[in-house]
Amino acid sequence: MMVRKLRKPHEERRGTATVEFAVMAPLMFLMLIGLLQGSRLFDSHAIMAQAARDGARLGAMDRSEWLAQGISSNDKITQDVRGTMAANGFDPEDVDVFIEFPDDPGNTFDLDDPSNDLALFELRIEVPLTPLVPSDTSDDNQLKMVSKVVFRNAKSTIVQ
């Protein structure tokens, strides 16, 4: 006759929690880091989108009274957008601002040209991803985060 030795259930699972933690901890840390990077990118894009809207809104307004002598509307809006981005922690030297025709990328839209009155313009902001997300890409093949908005050059006034 065989006699079985009864084991207690907790003796068979000794060390199981340690092994499970060793397997799951790296995955959890990887997910946590990904979540932090994703939220940082989302926040950065929200800042860029707001700066683009604010800059384009200035371009759509009557600029005759607040524009300094000798500076074009395009330059003033570019400076303001870079200033907004710098105030939010971006390096203004890395911020590229383009004011172009929405259907003709690369063709600069002159906000002060009377022939462009009531025409649509696109304000686009580009920032390299390298300061936001570490990567191994070269300067020639750099990824960029882009935010753009299209407004009408209506020269509207603020009514109070």
Side-chain angles (χ1 to χ4, degrees):
M1 189 172 193
M2 262 171 124
V3 178
R4 272 196 198 178
K5 184 177 177 183
L6 296 175
R7 293 186 183 170
K8 295 180 182 175
H10 69 276
E11 287 180 5
E12 293 177 6
R13 294 189 44 86
R14 179 173 254 159
T16 305
T18 306
V19 172
E20 289 174 353
F21 179 77
V23 170
M24 294 306 294
L27 295 173
M28 293 299 291
F29 288 129
L30 184 65
M31 287 175 44
L32 179 64
I33 290 170
L35 182 66
L36 292 174
Q37 286 289 356
S39 64
R40 184 175 178 199
L41 285 173
F42 185 76
D43 184 50
S44 297
H45 191 268
I47 291 168
M48 288 176 60
Q50 185 62 41
R53 282 190 299 268
D54 291 345
R57 192 173 299 117
L58 287 175
M61 293 172 51
D62 182 14
R63 302 169 295 278
S64 60
E65 293 185 21
W66 56 265
L67 196 58
Q69 189 73 315
I71 187 169
S72 71
S73 296
N74 289 36
D75 292 339
K76 171 67 172 153
I77 291 169
T78 300
Q79 288 174 1
D80 288 353
V81 167
R82 283 193 175 134
T84 299
M85 296 293 287
N88 284 290
F90 288 84
D91 182 3
E93 296 298 319
D94 288 340
V95 176
D96 294 325
V97 181
F98 303 96
I99 301 172
E100 301 173 335
F101 288 91
D103 55 349
D104 190 11
N107 188 6
T108 302
F109 185 95
D110 185 4
L111 291 164
D112 296 328
D113 186 356
S115 66
N116 289 335
D117 286 352
L118 300 177
L120 295 175
F121 68 93
E122 175 183 280
L123 189 140
R124 187 175 75 248
I125 302 172
E126 295 182 0
V127 175
L129 276 177
T130 307
L132 301 171
V133 177
S135 68
D136 295 337
T137 58
S138 67
D139 288 340
D140 297 336
N141 193 19
Q142 198 171 51
L143 298 173
K144 294 190 177 208
M145 186 164 44
V146 177
S147 182
K148 61 184 176 179
V149 65
V150 175
F151 267 63
R152 185 172 301 281
N153 188 17
K155 296 187 180 180
S156 60
T157 57
I158 296 177
V159 178
Q160 293 182 355

